[in-house]
Amino acid sequence: MKKFFTFLFCVLMMNCMFASVMDARVRSVPASISSAAFKNPKAELAPLVQNLTKGIDDEKLKVKVIHDWICDNIAFDTQMYFSGKNKQQDFVNVMKKKLALGEGYANLFKEMCSAAGLEAVAVKGWSKGLGYSGKLEKKPDYTWNAVKVNGVWKLVDVAWDAGIVEIRTWIKHYSTEWLFLEPENFIYSHLPEDSSYQYLSEADQRSKEQFVKEPYIAGIFFESGLSLTKNIPLYDTVITGETEYVFNIDSNTTVTSEIRDKNQNDVKNASWLNRSKDKLYFQIDVPDTAEYKAMLFAKKADADNYGFKFDINDFERNILPAAEELAASKEITAAELKLFKSSFTKVKGNDAYYIKEDLFNDRQNENLVKIFELIELNPRIMEPVLEFNVKADSSYKGFGRGVVKYPTTYNVYNNSTGTKLIAPVCGKLKAGTEVLFQVESSDFAYIAIEDDGSLVNFEKNASGVFELSAVVPEGDVLKVYGSNNGHNYNGLWYYDIIK
């Protein structure tokens, strides 16, 4: 019983950091068999696969184990990719080098599936991944897989699940986001050259023109509890004023949003999210006619994730000193601090520190979680799930530089699942003016604003909407609060006050 508890504890600890769990069988293959397969793949890959999948009758699990083994052992070949040359992507060369491009990952996956008695194909086409600019090359430039599982064709992209490329650096970052993603969702990021590999009805199949028009929607968008309505943005969206998109959303999903400029800087208060029952209202605007990127981030409310990337300045000025203070106060040992420091790779060109991911290094992973918890690092990192370009029409020209378009939110509001600001949806209020505040909320029993150091509660109207007519006080900001007991109030958002 003790052994089971320890194993369960390790899994739970790791799940705090990593959204997906890699199958332990990937590290169970004897070293002699693995070594032989890497040296002589043509003759020895099949024995490796047979050892890896022995005792597994479930075809879906067989595929996952093969997927996981490749993710754990093969890195993306950034040097070859940025050289512009795509060569030697057969499974033999991939195994010998332990490096691959998308085509190499797909060829190895196909070969390993064949050795396991599974039917798989390499699918050539285009993707909205690394290097995509909103246009398709004349010839296919990417490859992924389809595999038949229990008589049904399933889609898989092992390369995207193995890690990510940031600027020119590949970072190992395992996921199952692109393993068995439904065809109707896979099509927002991958377009096969042969339309039969879309695995969609003829009415739902995408042409090249349609594919290019649609936004990039990550697989995790759907896994996070979001789904599409007919009102979705274009990949290149031109707006003539404030624009709203509506999505279906689970009550257990939390979301945030951003508008970024071409340098990836956040354009403050240029987007706003409202929740109402099972709907998410995503409002966007831009200050001028420059090109921007609109982004939606999401996660399950009960899933903690510290992330795998940390800004260099934040890490060196805040996180690392906080860990060193823990060691100085004897809350952690010198050995734990040393292990913490060795768990990261610094990439100056990316302005980031990355965790050296090893899902089976329990000592490192438990130590990271322990220290993250002690320094009270926010575990609720959200993943980007939707991206599209946005630009103001020349006749509109944007809402103007220096304007605060929407209120500034606090984390409590970002993590709420049923609160909608009806009015006023703006960033600034003028002191001395009378304003009707209206908020719809199933998250809080009380809504209030702060006036002259006191909290003034809203009243519910006949429609169940929290409502308050009040004169905007003098000061810098006007805060809106939420409470469930009428005693403990948390900030939801605030307005800037102008004279």
Side-chain angles (χ1 to χ4, degrees):
M1 186 67 183
K2 183 178 179 182
K3 184 177 182 181
F4 172 77
F5 176 81
T6 303
F7 172 75
L8 179 63
F9 176 76
C10 291
V11 170
L12 290 174
M13 291 288 282
M14 288 174 63
N15 281 348
C16 288
M17 289 183 57
F18 307 108
S20 304
V21 178
M22 186 177 282
D23 196 294
R25 293 177 183 86
V26 304
R27 297 284 179 91
S28 68
V29 179
S32 58
I33 294 177
S34 296
S35 180
F38 285 122
K39 288 178 182 178
N40 185 9
K42 206 163 190 177
E44 302 297 335
L45 182 63
L48 182 148
V49 174
Q50 289 157 14
N51 188 283
L52 186 65
T53 61
K54 65 182 179 182
I56 303 176
D57 296 322
D58 184 343
E59 290 186 350
K60 195 170 186 179
L61 182 54
K62 273 188 182 181
V63 172
K64 183 179 185 298
V65 171
I66 290 169
H67 163 279
D68 289 1
W69 187 90
I70 296 173
C71 287
D72 196 42
N73 287 277
I74 307 300
F76 187 81
D77 194 340
T78 51
Q79 185 174 354
M80 181 179 288
Y81 176 82
F82 287 109
S83 74
K85 299 176 181 178
N86 184 344
K87 57 183 180 180
Q88 297 180 321
Q89 292 301 298
D90 57 281
F91 82 92
V92 172
N93 277 290
V94 168
M95 284 292 289
K96 287 183 176 181
K97 295 178 180 178
K98 298 185 182 180
L99 293 170
L101 300 179
E103 182 182 359
Y105 278 98
N107 288 336
L108 177 57
F109 178 84
K110 176 186 174 183
E111 189 68 24
M112 292 182 74
C113 283
S114 178
L118 298 164
E119 186 179 354
V121 294
V123 181
K124 292 186 179 295
W126 299 267
S127 76
K128 291 175 181 172
L130 186 63
Y132 182 69
S133 62
K135 297 179 181 179
L136 300 183
E137 299 291 335
K138 290 183 179 180
K139 294 182 179 180
D141 57 8
Y142 192 63
T143 309
W144 58 95
N145 293 102
V147 57
K148 189 178 281 188
V149 179
N150 300 322
V152 179
W153 285 98
K154 300 288 186 180
L155 295 165
V156 181
D157 189 336
V158 188
W160 282 19
D161 275 345
I164 64 169
V165 176
E166 291 208 336
I167 304 181
R168 288 178 171 262
T169 304
W170 183 78
I171 307 298
K172 186 175 185 179
H173 185 53
Y174 169 79
S175 82
T176 54
E177 182 176 0
W178 307 99
L179 176 65
F180 307 137
L181 185 65
E182 294 299 329
E184 60 267 28
N185 301 331
F186 205 84
I187 196 63
Y188 287 102
S189 53
H190 296 70
L191 180 72
E193 180 182 31
D194 183 342
S195 61
S196 66
Y197 289 125
Q198 293 186 29
Y199 300 106
L200 296 171
S201 67
E202 190 172 338
D204 291 328
Q205 286 184 2
R206 304 298 201 277
S207 65
K208 287 183 180 179
E209 292 74 22
Q210 287 174 301
F211 181 75
V212 167
K213 285 182 179 179
E214 292 174 337
Y216 167 73
I217 304 176
I220 201 169
F221 175 95
F222 306 98
E223 294 175 13
S224 298
L226 288 156
S227 61
L228 301 169
T229 64
K230 292 181 179 180
N231 173 225
I232 66 171
L234 300 175
Y235 186 85
D236 289 306
T237 292
V238 178
I239 62 175
T240 56
E242 180 181 79
T243 304
E244 181 178 83
Y245 298 99
V246 183
F247 303 98
N248 300 314
I249 187 168
D250 289 350
S251 60
N252 194 37
T253 302
T254 60
V255 286
T256 60
S257 63
E258 285 183 10
I259 303 293
R260 293 182 179 176
D261 64 19
K262 64 179 181 180
N263 296 317
Q264 293 297 304
N265 296 314
D266 179 28
V267 183
K268 187 179 178 183
N269 301 79
S271 65
W272 182 257
L273 295 174
N274 267 324
R275 300 282 292 267
S276 179
K277 295 182 180 179
D278 58 352
K279 298 295 182 185
L280 173 69
Y281 304 88
F282 181 23
Q283 295 174 309
I284 62 169
D285 209 339
V286 291
D288 50 40
T289 56
E291 293 184 355
Y292 295 92
K293 186 179 291 292
M295 303 182 71
L296 191 65
F297 301 79
K299 67 179 283 294
K300 288 291 188 182
D302 56 358
D304 284 346
N305 176 16
Y306 287 101
F308 65 99
K309 173 186 176 181
F310 302 87
D311 174 78
I312 277 184
N313 289 331
D314 185 39
F315 189 86
E316 294 181 350
R317 294 176 184 175
N318 300 309
I319 297 174
L320 187 55
E324 290 170 339
E325 285 181 18
L326 291 175
S329 62
K330 307 297 184 184
E331 292 182 73
I332 63 172
T333 66
E336 287 173 326
L337 176 62
K338 183 178 179 180
L339 177 59
F340 181 77
K341 290 180 176 180
S342 68
S343 300
F344 297 88
T345 297
K346 181 179 181 179
V347 183
K348 288 184 178 179
N350 294 9
D351 291 324
Y353 278 83
Y354 298 92
I355 291 176
K356 297 176 183 177
E357 183 178 277
D358 183 348
L359 301 185
F360 300 103
N361 189 341
D362 293 343
R363 181 168 169 262
Q364 171 183 289
N365 297 332
E366 290 168 22
N367 188 62
L368 283 170
V369 172
K370 175 182 178 178
I371 293 175
F372 286 159
E373 287 181 344
L374 287 171
I375 65 177
E376 298 182 353
L377 190 70
N378 180 14
R380 295 176 178 175
I381 301 300
M382 298 192 185
E383 301 281 355
V385 297
L386 170 71
E387 295 181 17
F388 59 95
N389 300 321
V390 59
K391 184 178 181 180
D393 184 85
S394 58
S395 63
Y396 169 49
K397 298 183 180 178
F399 59 73
R401 283 283 176 180
V403 174
V404 181
K405 179 68 180 182
Y406 297 109
T408 301
T409 61
Y410 294 102
N411 283 335
V412 172
Y413 176 75
N414 294 335
N415 291 323
S416 67
T417 56
T419 299
K420 181 179 181 180
L421 170 61
I422 299 172
V425 186
C426 60
K428 292 184 178 182
L429 298 174
K430 189 173 182 180
T433 58
E434 187 168 349
V435 175
L436 177 63
F437 296 90
Q438 293 179 308
V439 178
E440 188 178 272
S441 180
S442 59
D443 298 304
F444 306 102
Y446 301 87
I447 301 292
I449 61 169
E450 187 175 17
D451 186 4
D452 197 24
S454 300
L455 291 176
V456 181
N457 283 315
F458 291 31
E459 297 291 337
K460 275 192 176 182
N461 64 21
S463 301
V465 173
F466 289 98
E467 196 170 73
L468 176 69
S469 182
V471 175
V472 178
E474 297 286 340
D476 296 322
V477 299
L478 177 62
K479 297 181 181 179
V480 178
Y481 296 84
S483 173
N484 277 312
N485 58 18
H487 300 290
N488 305 108
Y489 285 79
N490 291 298
L492 302 178
W493 62 82
Y494 68 81
Y495 303 93
D496 289 347
I497 296 176
I498 55 175
K499 295 181 179 181

